[in-house]
Amino acid sequence: MAEPGNTTVTWAERMELLKDSAQQRLLNAPMPTAAMEQLLAEKKAVALGRFEDSPVHYLDRWWRADELGWVALDEDASAQLDLHAERYRAATAATAAADETPEAEAGLAKMPPASPEAGAA
């Protein structure tokens, strides 16, 4: 770190500033749908659920589908969605546990598998 009053910046500080600047540009511009689909396929991004227009978590932010592509939510909205996502996951897990009866398993065997595209869009 540079001394107080000295405007000299180290290479490490420059690289950190550059990284932060690039991330901010990425977060402020819509991401093309194909790019988000690739991130989901590579498991670099995670969809909240397997439903159409499910929010996606990437770069410590939640993203939502938009007519321009995928748009990052601001920090406050992402924090709120983190809370709701935790509740959604808990409810989904509780529902799955309750459905582990032999009758439910027989019904699930008859259902077609969920399509991966449903959570990616």
Side-chain angles (χ1 to χ4, degrees):
M1 183 85 180
E3 296 176 21
N6 185 352
T7 58
T8 305
V9 179
T10 67
W11 279 105
E13 290 170 329
R14 287 182 186 177
M15 295 306 290
E16 191 64 31
L17 289 171
L18 183 61
K19 179 184 137 211
D20 291 345
S21 174
Q23 186 169 344
Q24 283 304 315
R25 281 195 308 272
L26 178 64
L27 291 172
N28 291 327
M31 182 184 298
T33 301
M36 184 60 81
E37 289 173 356
Q38 181 177 356
L39 290 168
L40 287 163
E42 294 172 355
K43 304 212 184 299
K44 293 179 181 177
V46 178
L48 175 60
R50 290 189 296 178
F51 51 89
E52 188 174 345
D53 294 333
S54 170
V56 172
H57 197 262
Y58 176 66
L59 288 178
D60 296 326
R61 290 279 177 90
W62 285 98
W63 297 67
R64 66 174 175 79
D66 188 279
E67 62 262 357
L68 301 174
W70 286 85
V71 179
L73 302 179
D74 64 28
E75 287 182 30
D76 292 337
S78 282
Q80 285 292 321
L81 191 51
D82 279 336
L83 296 173
H84 293 299
E86 190 59 38
R87 290 173 53 209
Y88 171 78
R89 288 184 188 114
T92 302
T95 302
D99 285 344
E100 290 180 1
T101 62
E103 298 83 18
E105 289 178 12
L108 288 175
K110 296 177 186 176
M111 293 179 63
S115 65
E117 298 84 30

